[in-house]
Amino acid sequence: MKNRWLIENGTFITMDPQQPVVEGWLAVENDRIAGLGTGQAPDEERKLGAELVDGRGKLYLPGLINTHGHAAMSLLRGLADDLRLQDWLENHMWPMEAKFTGDDVYWGTSIAAAEMILSGTTTFLDMYDHMDRVAEVVEQSGLRAVLTRGVIGLCPPDVQTAKLNDAIGFAKSWHGQAGGRIRVMMSPHAPYTCPPDYIERIVAAARELGLPLHTHMSETAAEVAQNVKDYGVRPVEHLDRLGLFSGPSLVAHAVHLTDEEIALLAERGVAVSHNPVSNLKLASGVARVPELLKAGVTVSLGTDSAASNNNLDLFEEIRLAALLHKGVTGDPTAVPAPEALRMGTVYGAKSLGLEGETGVLQPGLKADLISVRTNKPHFVPATDYVSHLVYAASGADVADVWVDGKQLLRERQLLTLDAERIRFEAQRAFDRLRA
Ligand SMILES: CSC[C@H]1O[C@@H](n2cnc3c(O)ncnc32)[C@H](O)[C@@H]1O
Ligand SMILES: [Zn+2]
C-alpha cells in the first residue's frame, strides 16, 4: 500500500542550487520525495488520490541536521553554568553521569528528542553511553540519527576493552536499524581521554566495521597545549598519526587550528561540526569557520549538549554562525545567510555520510522536511525567505515535521512522543540524580 501525499500552494526552500526556491507543490510517496514543481500540481498527481496538505502561509525546507550532541545530558541542563570546560566536565558532569542508569539516558534522550522535533531537527548525532536506550528513543520518536558509543579510556585495560567491545556490539546491533534511520559511528571521546594505543584500537575497529569515526578535537587552547606536552604534537597531527583521518571522519569543535592544520583537515576530507553556542558558553573560543570553508572543509552545525548550550535549537546555531564570524573577522560577508543554512542542512548530511539521502528537498531523497509558519510579524516583509530563516526565525516557528515521510509534528503537536509523560519522567530522573 503506497502512502502518498501532496503539499500544494507551498513555498519550498529546497537547498538545491538547481532550484533554490519553488512556489508550488511537493509530492511524497512512502519515505521519499516523489515530485516537486512550480504552480499547481499536475492532474496526474491529483489522480493518484494523494492526501492533500494545504501549504499556504508556510515555508518548507529540509529538516535541520544537528551533527554533534549528547542528548541525555538534557537532564543536566542549567546544573553547572558559567564554568570552563575542564572544570565543568571533570567536577560537575562526570560525577553526575557516573550515576546515570539506562532509564535516565532513556528519559534524558526522550526530552531532547521532543525538543529537537519541536525546533525542526530531523537528524541528530549522539555520542553517549547506554546507547541501546538512545536507539530505543530514535525508533519510537521517528527521528533519524547517527549514534556513537563514546568511549573514555582513562581506566584499566580490561575496562578499556569492555567499553570497546560494547561499542562494537552496539554498532553490529543497530547500524541500519529503525528502517534505516539509525546509522553508527565509532568514537574515541577525545585525544586527552584516550591513550594513543586505545585510539588506534578504536580506529582499527571502525575500519573493520566500515564505519566513520567521530571525536572531540582542539576544543580549547589548554587541550592543545596539553597534547603538545604529552605527545610533542598538536591534536590534529596526533590524531592523523593514529590513523583517525585515514577514512571518513567528523570532528567536533576544531576551535584552535593553525593554517597548516586547516589544510591537513581539508586534504584528508575531515568534516567539522561547528558548535558556536557551546564554544562560547564554555569560553573555549571561536572556530576559524570562514577559513575552514574557504579551504574546502565540510563544516556543519551542532548544539553539543543542553548542559553547555542550554537548548537544542539548531536555528540558533545557524543564526550565530552567520553573525559570530562577521563580528570576529570584521568582514560582513563572512558566512552569508545561504551558507549558514547549508551548514544546518546540506553540509550536515555530508558530515554524517547522508549526502543524497537527506538535507535537500529533491525528488528521490528522503522526505525529511519541516514547515515554518510565516504569518508572524518577524517574517514581514515577504522579501528574502532565506534571510528571514537565518536572521529572524527560531525553532518556535516550526509547525510541522516529517522524517522518512512520516509526520512527527503537526501544528506544533508531537505525534510520536508523550510530551507530558516525558517531562514528568525526566524531572523525576533529575530529582533522583540530584538527591
Ligand atoms: C563518552 S560519552 C560523551 C562524553 O562527552 C562529554 N562531553 C559533553 N560535552 C563535551 C564537550 O563539549 N567536550 C568534551 N566532552 C564533552 C559528556 O559529558 C560525556 O562524558
Ligand atoms: Zn560534545
Coordinates of all heavy atoms in Angstrom, one line a residue, residues 253-293:
H253 N 34.0 20.7 17.2 CA 34.7 21.9 17.7 C 35.8 22.4 16.8 O 35.6 23.3 16.1 CB 35.2 21.7 19.2 CG 34.1 21.2 20.1 ND1 32.9 21.9 20.2 CD2 34.0 20.1 20.9 CE1 32.1 21.3 21.1 NE2 32.7 20.2 21.5
A254 N 37.0 21.7 16.8 CA 38.1 22.2 15.9 C 38.2 23.7 16.1 O 38.3 24.5 15.1 CB 37.8 21.8 14.5
V255 N 38.3 24.2 17.3 CA 38.3 25.7 17.6 C 39.7 26.2 17.3 O 39.9 27.3 16.7 CB 37.9 26.0 19.0 CG1 38.0 27.5 19.3 CG2 36.4 25.6 19.2
H256 N 40.7 25.5 17.9 CA 42.1 26.1 17.9 C 42.9 25.4 16.8 O 43.5 24.3 17.1 CB 42.7 25.9 19.3 CG 41.9 26.7 20.3 ND1 42.2 28.1 20.5 CD2 40.9 26.4 21.0 CE1 41.3 28.5 21.4 NE2 40.5 27.5 21.8
L257 N 43.0 25.9 15.6 CA 43.7 25.3 14.5 C 44.6 26.3 13.8 O 44.4 27.5 13.8 CB 42.7 24.9 13.4 CG 41.6 23.9 13.7 CD1 40.7 23.6 12.5 CD2 42.2 22.6 14.2
T258 N 45.8 25.8 13.4 CA 46.7 26.6 12.6 C 46.3 26.5 11.1 O 45.5 25.7 10.7 CB 48.1 26.1 12.8 OG1 48.2 24.7 12.2 CG2 48.6 26.0 14.2
D259 N 46.9 27.4 10.3 CA 46.7 27.3 8.9 C 47.0 25.9 8.3 O 46.3 25.4 7.5 CB 47.5 28.4 8.1 CG 47.1 29.8 8.4 OD1 46.0 30.0 9.0 OD2 47.8 30.8 8.1
E260 N 48.1 25.4 8.8 CA 48.6 24.1 8.4 C 47.6 23.0 8.8 O 47.3 22.1 8.0 CB 50.0 23.7 8.9 CG 51.1 24.7 8.5 CD 51.0 26.1 9.1 OE1 50.4 26.2 10.2 OE2 51.6 27.0 8.5
E261 N 47.0 23.1 9.9 CA 46.0 22.1 10.4 C 44.8 22.2 9.6 O 44.2 21.2 9.2 CB 45.8 22.3 11.9 CG 46.9 21.9 12.7 CD 46.7 22.2 14.2 OE1 46.1 23.2 14.5 OE2 47.0 21.3 15.0
I262 N 44.4 23.4 9.2 CA 43.2 23.6 8.3 C 43.4 22.9 7.0 O 42.6 22.1 6.5 CB 42.8 25.0 8.2 CG1 42.3 25.6 9.5 CG2 41.8 25.2 7.0 CD1 42.1 27.1 9.5
A263 N 44.6 23.1 6.5 CA 45.0 22.5 5.2 C 45.0 21.0 5.3 O 44.5 20.3 4.4 CB 46.4 23.0 4.7
L264 N 45.5 20.4 6.4 CA 45.5 19.0 6.6 C 44.1 18.4 6.6 O 43.8 17.4 6.0 CB 46.3 18.6 7.8 CG 46.6 17.1 8.0 CD1 47.9 16.8 8.7 CD2 45.5 16.4 8.9
L265 N 43.3 19.0 7.4 CA 41.9 18.6 7.5 C 41.2 18.6 6.1 O 40.5 17.6 5.8 CB 41.1 19.4 8.5 CG 41.5 19.4 10.0 CD1 40.6 20.3 10.8 CD2 41.4 18.0 10.5
A266 N 41.5 19.6 5.4 CA 40.9 19.7 4.0 C 41.4 18.6 3.1 O 40.7 17.9 2.4 CB 41.2 21.1 3.4
E267 N 42.7 18.4 3.2 CA 43.4 17.3 2.4 C 42.8 15.9 2.7 O 42.6 15.1 1.9 CB 44.9 17.4 2.6 CG 45.7 16.4 1.7 CD 47.1 16.3 2.2 OE1 47.6 17.2 2.9 OE2 47.8 15.3 1.9
R268 N 42.6 15.7 4.1 CA 42.1 14.4 4.5 C 40.6 14.2 4.3 O 40.1 13.1 4.6 CB 42.5 14.1 5.9 CG 44.0 14.1 6.2 CD 44.7 12.8 5.8 NE 46.0 12.8 6.4 CZ 47.1 13.3 5.8 NH1 46.9 14.0 4.7 NH2 48.3 13.2 6.4
G269 N 39.9 15.3 4.0 CA 38.5 15.2 3.8 C 37.7 15.1 5.2 O 36.6 14.5 5.2
V270 N 38.3 15.6 6.2 CA 37.7 15.6 7.6 C 36.6 16.6 7.7 O 36.8 17.8 7.3 CB 38.8 15.8 8.7 CG1 38.1 15.8 10.1 CG2 39.9 14.8 8.5
A271 N 35.4 16.2 8.1 CA 34.3 17.2 8.3 C 34.4 17.7 9.7 O 34.9 17.1 10.6 CB 33.0 16.5 8.1
V272 N 33.9 18.9 9.9 CA 34.0 19.6 11.2 C 32.5 19.9 11.6 O 31.7 20.5 10.8 CB 34.8 20.9 11.1 CG1 34.6 21.8 12.4 CG2 36.3 20.6 10.9
S273 N 32.2 19.6 12.9 CA 30.9 20.0 13.5 C 31.2 21.3 14.3 O 31.8 21.2 15.4 CB 30.3 19.0 14.3 OG 29.1 19.4 14.9
H274 N 30.7 22.4 13.8 CA 31.0 23.7 14.5 C 29.9 23.9 15.5 O 28.7 23.8 15.2 CB 30.9 24.8 13.4 CG 31.0 26.2 13.9 ND1 31.8 26.6 14.9 CD2 30.4 27.4 13.5 CE1 31.7 27.9 15.2 NE2 30.8 28.4 14.3
N275 N 30.2 24.1 16.8 CA 29.3 24.2 17.9 C 29.4 25.6 18.5 O 29.9 25.7 19.6 CB 29.5 23.1 19.0 CG 29.3 21.7 18.5 OD1 29.0 20.9 19.3 ND2 29.4 21.4 17.2
P276 N 29.0 26.7 17.8 CA 29.3 28.0 18.3 C 28.8 28.4 19.7 O 29.5 29.0 20.5 CB 28.7 28.9 17.2 CG 27.7 28.1 16.5 CD 28.2 26.7 16.6
V277 N 27.5 28.0 20.0 CA 27.0 28.3 21.3 C 27.7 27.7 22.4 O 28.2 28.3 23.3 CB 25.5 28.0 21.3 CG1 24.9 28.3 22.7 CG2 24.7 28.8 20.3
S278 N 28.0 26.4 22.3 CA 28.7 25.6 23.3 C 30.1 26.2 23.5 O 30.6 26.4 24.6 CB 28.8 24.2 23.0 OG 29.5 23.4 24.0
N279 N 30.8 26.5 22.3 CA 32.1 27.0 22.4 C 32.2 28.4 23.2 O 33.1 28.6 23.9 CB 32.7 27.2 21.0 CG 33.0 25.9 20.3 OD1 33.1 25.9 19.1 ND2 33.1 24.8 21.0
L280 N 31.1 29.2 22.9 CA 31.1 30.5 23.6 C 30.8 30.3 25.1 O 31.4 30.9 26.0 CB 30.1 31.4 23.0 CG 30.4 32.0 21.6 CD1 29.2 32.8 21.1 CD2 31.7 32.8 21.6
K281 N 29.8 29.4 25.4 CA 29.3 29.3 26.8 C 30.4 28.7 27.7 O 30.5 29.1 28.8 CB 28.1 28.4 26.8 CG 27.4 28.4 28.2 CD 26.0 27.8 28.2 CE 25.4 28.0 29.5 NZ 26.1 27.2 30.6
L282 N 31.3 27.8 27.1 CA 32.4 27.3 27.9 C 33.7 28.1 27.8 O 34.7 27.7 28.2 CB 32.6 25.8 27.5 CG 31.5 24.8 27.8 CD1 31.7 23.5 27.0 CD2 31.4 24.6 29.3
A283 N 33.5 29.2 27.1 CA 34.7 30.1 26.9 C 35.8 29.4 26.2 O 37.0 29.7 26.5 CB 35.2 30.7 28.3
S284 N 35.5 28.6 25.3 CA 36.5 27.8 24.6 C 37.1 28.6 23.4 O 38.2 28.3 22.9 CB 35.9 26.5 24.1 OG 35.4 25.7 25.2
G285 N 36.3 29.5 22.8 CA 36.8 30.3 21.7 C 35.9 30.2 20.5 O 34.8 29.8 20.6
V286 N 36.4 30.7 19.4 CA 35.6 30.8 18.1 C 36.4 30.1 17.0 O 37.5 30.4 16.7 CB 35.4 32.2 17.7 CG1 34.6 32.3 16.4 CG2 34.6 33.0 18.8
A287 N 35.8 29.0 16.5 CA 36.4 28.3 15.4 C 36.6 29.1 14.2 O 35.8 30.0 13.9 CB 35.6 27.0 15.1
R288 N 37.7 28.8 13.4 CA 38.0 29.6 12.2 C 37.2 29.2 11.0 O 37.7 28.7 10.0 CB 39.5 29.6 12.0 CG 40.4 30.1 13.1 CD 41.8 29.9 12.9 NE 42.3 30.6 11.6 CZ 43.4 30.4 11.0 NH1 44.3 29.4 11.5 NH2 43.8 31.0 10.0
V289 N 35.9 29.3 11.1 CA 35.0 28.7 10.1 C 35.1 29.3 8.7 O 35.2 28.6 7.8 CB 33.5 28.8 10.6 CG1 32.5 28.5 9.5 CG2 33.3 27.9 11.8
P290 N 35.3 30.6 8.6 CA 35.5 31.2 7.2 C 36.7 30.5 6.5 O 36.7 30.2 5.4 CB 35.7 32.7 7.4 CG 34.9 32.9 8.7 CD 35.2 31.7 9.6
E291 N 37.8 30.4 7.3 CA 39.0 29.8 6.7 C 38.8 28.3 6.4 O 39.3 27.8 5.4 CB 40.2 29.9 7.6 CG 40.7 31.3 7.9 CD 40.0 32.0 9.1 OE1 38.9 31.7 9.4 OE2 40.7 32.8 9.7
L292 N 38.0 27.6 7.3 CA 37.8 26.2 7.0 C 36.9 26.0 5.7 O 37.2 25.2 4.9 CB 37.0 25.6 8.2 CG 37.9 25.2 9.4 CD1 37.0 25.1 10.7 CD2 38.7 24.0 9.2
L293 N 35.9 26.8 5.6 CA 35.0 26.8 4.4 C 35.8 27.1 3.2 O 35.7 26.4 2.1 CB 33.8 27.7 4.6 CG 32.8 27.3 5.6 CD1 31.8 28.5 5.9 CD2 32.0 26.1 5.2

